[in-house]
């Protein structure tokens, strides 16, 4: 588990390096590394892979809170455009609704593998971890469309997020959209592809990851 531990530490260090600004809508939560194992409160119907269990036991996911006091079920991560919502382990069971469980009576979707676990999303487009495969590969989709691979492992996924945060917040100061054209700033997507390609030579995976975040 050394690789996933290193990826977790890098991810949290990067988030702490660039603390998120408060929004007028919610008080930001975050992800905090715990020196002691976090006691997991995960519904028995949820299948965690060894990597995800390691992640949730060492990371306290602090959910965002609306200013009316309502606690949300996830924490938002600023990636420069639409935020990525990372769901806390105790709320994972609710995020499977509409995917693993469908309809008003929440029956099992026969086309959904129960080992596909939605752990995060951008505007309801899910990030799905395959919990019965070695390394916990990561896929994504647009709403209920076909899933496509974005990382060979959950560890890689965290590394890609760290790189993205470092680029967005470090080089571009959180501003990646041109105010006049509403397009991405020139060079941003190229910079991101170059940085991720240094640790993954699979062009398809790199492009899929970037397209999911910014497509």
């Amino acid at each position: 588990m050394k690789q996933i531990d290193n990826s977790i530490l890098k991810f949290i260090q990067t988030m702490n390096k660039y603390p998120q600004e408060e929004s007028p809508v919610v008080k930001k939560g975050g992800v905090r590394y715990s020196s002691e194992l976090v006691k997991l409160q995960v519904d028995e119907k949820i299948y965690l892979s060894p990597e995800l269990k390691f992640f949730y036991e060492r990371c306290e996911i602090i959910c965002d809170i609306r200013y009316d006091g309502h606690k949300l079920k996830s924490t938002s991560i600023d990636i420069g455009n639409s935020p990525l919502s990372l769901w806390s382990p105790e709320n994972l069971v609710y995020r499977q609704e509409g995917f693993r469980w469908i309809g008003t009576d929440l029956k099992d979707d026969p086309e959904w593998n129960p080992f596909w676990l939605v752990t995060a999303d951008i505007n309801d487009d899910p990030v799905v971890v395959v919990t019965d495969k070695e390394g916990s590969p990561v896929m994504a989709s647009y709403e209920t469309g076909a899933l496509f691979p974005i990382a060979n492992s959950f560890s890689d996924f965290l590394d890609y997020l760290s790189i993205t945060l470092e680029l967005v917040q470090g080089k571009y100061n959180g501003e990646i959209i041109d105010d006049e054209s509403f397009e991405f700033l020139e060079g941003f997507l190229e910079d991101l592809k170059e940085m991720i390609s240094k640790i993954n030579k699979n062009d398809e995976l790199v492009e899929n990851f970037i397209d999911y975040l910014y497509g």
Side-chain angles (χ1 to χ4, degrees):
M1 290 293 175
K2 185 172 178 57
Q3 182 178 1
I4 184 69
D5 194 28
N6 289 338
S7 297
I8 290 170
L9 288 171
K10 182 178 179 182
F11 173 62
I12 293 178
Q13 287 169 357
T14 305
M15 288 191 65
N16 290 339
K17 185 177 178 181
Y18 303 106
Q20 300 183 74
E21 296 182 2
E22 295 294 330
S23 81
V25 180
V26 297
K27 181 179 180 181
K28 296 291 187 181
V31 183
R32 181 166 56 202
Y33 190 85
S34 177
S35 57
E36 298 182 0
L37 295 185
V38 176
K39 185 177 180 180
L40 295 184
Q41 297 177 338
V42 180
D43 190 280
E44 61 182 8
K45 296 185 291 294
I46 297 299
Y47 305 126
L48 293 182
S49 64
E51 290 79 12
L52 275 182
K53 185 173 184 292
F54 191 93
F55 174 72
Y56 291 126
E57 284 181 338
R58 284 154 181 80
C59 296
E60 180 185 0
I61 296 179
I62 305 165
C63 296
D64 297 341
I65 300 176
R66 291 196 320 224
Y67 282 107
D68 63 5
H70 177 73
K71 187 176 181 180
L72 303 181
K73 294 180 172 64
S74 61
T75 188
S76 56
I77 300 174
D78 184 3
I79 55 172
N81 54 350
S82 298
L84 183 143
S85 296
L86 180 64
W87 284 64
S88 64
E90 65 270 22
N91 290 312
L92 287 173
V93 65
Y94 303 111
R95 193 61 190 96
Q96 310 318 302
E97 296 175 7
F99 298 97
R100 181 177 171 185
W101 299 299
I102 57 176
T104 55
D105 50 359
L106 297 179
K107 291 184 176 179
D108 289 346
D109 183 347
E111 297 185 3
W112 188 266
N113 187 325
F115 292 100
W116 293 347
L117 185 65
V118 181
T119 59
D121 61 77
I122 298 176
N123 294 329
D124 292 329
D125 295 337
V127 172
V128 177
V129 178
V130 184
T131 61
D132 64 339
K133 300 293 185 182
E134 183 178 358
S136 304
V138 183
M139 302 186 292
S141 77
Y142 301 113
E143 295 183 348
T144 56
L147 291 165
F148 53 88
I150 60 172
N152 284 325
S153 67
F154 187 67
S155 178
D156 284 352
F157 177 70
L158 292 177
D159 288 342
Y160 301 165
L161 282 181
S162 298
I163 289 170
T164 303
L165 287 169
E166 185 68 48
L167 180 66
V168 170
Q169 304 299 335
K171 181 174 180 178
Y172 289 89
N173 298 314
E175 302 293 336
I176 62 173
I177 305 294
D178 186 275
D179 291 335
E180 296 183 358
S181 68
F182 299 105
E183 300 288 338
F184 291 109
L185 292 177
E186 184 178 355
F188 168 69
L189 294 178
E190 292 79 4
D191 285 347
L192 183 57
K193 182 176 181 180
E194 180 182 355
M195 292 175 71
I196 296 178
S197 295
K198 290 179 180 178
I199 62 173
N200 190 328
K201 304 300 182 183
N202 187 320
D203 288 341
E204 179 183 5
L205 276 182
V206 174
E207 290 175 3
N208 283 352
F209 174 82
I210 294 174
D211 189 61
Y212 170 71
L213 261 58
Y214 302 111

